[in-house]
Structure formats: structure tokens, C-alpha cells
Amino acid sequence: MKIYYYHTRPIQEALDEWKNHLHPGHILYGLTHFSKHGIHPILHHYRHFASRIRFSLYNFFEIIRCKEPYDLLYGTSFYGLELIIFLRAFGLYRKPIAIWHHQAVVRNSNKLKNLISRFYYRGIDQMFFFSQTLIEDSLKSGKVNAGQLHLIHWGADLDFYDYLRQHLPTANEEEPEKIAYTSDEFSIPRMQLYVRDRHVCCSCSVEGTYHIDNDDMEPLFTVLFDMITDGILEKAE
């Protein structure tokens, strides 16, 4: 099986970094496991645009111009795929589309927007969600059906973090309170965790032209929530 693999970040660079233990595999949404299941990806050539319209137009033409045959379009988000999805809804793009949906599908208060949105979701064949709650809330919108929605137990790349524990120092000698940080030499968001006065603090700075949004922060929020739930961290009142 061959798929067109779409991500909202540079893919080949991230895959190369993963091979060198510099990038966690779970951020690639299955890419590191596809070969074991006979799935061969065509990697989308990513370019960043500040304008969402320009971003969508670039992705549209990049996908349409792909001459290599593939069976379906797989996206880690619908962000930037809007034009292709509408084309699929009109029946003009023939490949099935499967994407990760990071929030619940919701109803719009505006009737016209709700009608357009309902038609838009006709262009997505299958959707993957992080939780059953997101699926149940999406079904209430009336825009999708249960056969389209799938719960995927997505989690951290433990092999990546085990490697870091074995091969990297546990702390920064110049900043001993820093417990996690990324290398400054890569043009990616630098996320830093600190322990100060028994509080865990997070800071994130963006390097170069890298795009970051709430989806990029979700793995961190998930880890912190699990640590609080397990009693490792104490939630501040």
C-alpha cells in the first residue's frame, strides 16, 4: 500500500533526526512504523506560509502535481488541506482522505457556516481521535458518522526517551534547575522544563520560521496531566 503522507512540519528532516535519536517518533504519527506494515509513504514537501490561504494553496497544488501513484491521502491534521478536502467533497479528488482530528467536530451557531462545514466533512473519509470523548462529542454535531471515527491510543515514543536517559546528561551544569531541553542547533521550537520552588515551569521559544500551535503543545500537556494524576506532581491550587 502506498500513501501520500502530509504533515504540518518539515517531514524528511524530522525523520532523519528521529533516526539519529534527535526527534521523538510519536510526533510523526505512525511514519516510523509504516514500513513494518507494508505501507510506503510519499512525503509531502513542506513549506511554511504565514497566511493560511497561501499555505492551503501551496499544499493543494503540491498534492495535485504529485505524479507518483498512491492509494490514499493521510494527514496528521486537516490544517492546510482544506482545498483538497472540499475537492473530495465535490467528488473531484478521487483518493480517500484519512486525517487526525485534534479536537471534536462541533456545530456552528451560524446556519450557513454549519451547512458549509457539514459539506466539508463529506470530504474526509476517515478520522482518528485521541479519546472516546472527542468521538462522542463529534457525533453530536451531526456532521460525521460513527463509521468514520476511530480511537487511536497515541502516546510518547518511549524508546526515544529511554535513549535520552541513557546517553544524555540529566541536568545542565550551568542551569541545574533545568530538567529538559532541546538542542539549540536545530530550527525547531525549544521547549524547556524547570523545577522552581516545587513548581514545574515551561517555556517555549520559536526558532526560524517554524510554525507552532496548540497541537504541538498537546504532548507536553498530556505528560504533565498524567504526572499529576499519578501523584508525581502536585497540582497548584
Side-chain angles (χ1 to χ4, degrees):
M1 181 181 188
K2 184 174 288 188
I3 67 172
Y4 189 99
Y5 177 93
Y6 170 84
H7 206 318
T8 54
R9 67 179 67 201
I11 307 167
Q12 187 60 59
E13 293 89 336
L15 185 59
D16 293 340
E17 289 176 5
W18 171 78
K19 293 176 181 178
N20 292 310
H21 309 287
L22 297 172
H23 193 289
H26 61 272
I27 305 298
L28 298 175
Y29 293 86
L31 179 60
T32 58
H33 299 279
F34 287 159
S35 61
K36 295 182 292 186
H37 300 282
I39 301 173
H40 306 285
I42 301 170
L43 303 184
H44 177 72
H45 181 67
Y46 170 86
R47 281 185 61 187
H48 172 71
F49 293 90
S51 166
R52 184 166 183 172
I53 295 177
R54 290 185 62 194
F55 186 54
S56 295
L57 283 170
Y58 166 78
N59 292 330
F60 173 80
F61 287 111
E62 190 72 16
I63 294 171
I64 291 298
R65 286 198 300 257
C66 179
K67 296 180 180 179
E68 193 171 348
Y70 56 92
D71 299 299
L72 67 86
L73 170 60
Y74 171 84
T76 62
S77 170
F78 63 73
Y79 186 90
L81 290 177
E82 292 85 356
L83 295 177
I84 287 288
I85 292 173
F86 270 118
L87 209 64
R88 174 69 174 162
F90 279 110
L92 300 176
Y93 178 76
R94 300 301 179 88
K95 304 295 183 182
I97 297 177
I99 59 105
W100 281 85
H101 206 281
H102 297 262
Q103 298 94 21
V105 179
V106 298
R107 290 186 59 85
N108 302 88
S109 56
N110 183 291
K111 291 184 178 180
L112 179 58
K113 288 183 178 180
N114 201 63
L115 188 64
I116 295 173
S117 178
R118 185 187 298 271
F119 180 76
Y120 170 82
Y121 279 101
R122 289 177 55 186
I124 304 176
D125 297 86
Q126 303 295 327
M127 288 183 277
F128 310 116
F129 291 84
F130 296 114
S131 73
Q132 186 62 37
T133 300
L134 291 178
I135 291 178
E136 293 171 359
D137 290 344
S138 296
L139 290 173
K140 295 175 184 176
S141 71
K143 301 176 183 179
V144 293
N145 61 70
Q148 292 176 272
L149 316 183
H150 307 275
L151 173 62
I152 302 296
H153 297 287
W154 180 85
D157 180 357
L158 298 182
D159 291 339
F160 170 80
Y161 294 108
D162 286 343
Y163 181 90
L164 295 185
R165 291 180 60 187
Q166 295 172 14
H167 295 86
L168 295 180
T170 57
N172 185 340
E173 295 180 358
E174 297 180 358
E175 300 178 82
E177 78 277 17
K178 185 185 292 185
I179 59 174
Y181 57 98
T182 61
S183 172
D184 292 347
E185 63 184 282
F186 296 104
S187 181
I188 61 175
R190 290 186 298 148
M191 191 176 295
Q192 302 175 352
L193 292 178
Y194 296 85
V195 175
R196 288 176 178 159
D197 299 325
R198 298 184 63 206
H199 293 101
V200 175
C201 307
C202 172
S203 66
C204 183
S205 60
V206 179
E207 299 289 327
T209 60
Y210 194 94
H211 169 75
I212 185 169
D213 56 25
N214 288 337
D215 292 343
D216 297 294
M217 298 293 288
E218 187 166 352
L220 172 65
F221 297 150
T222 301
V223 170
L224 292 179
F225 176 79
D226 290 342
M227 292 176 74
I228 293 172
T229 303
D230 294 339
I232 300 173
L233 297 177
E234 181 179 348
K235 183 178 180 181
E237 298 296 335

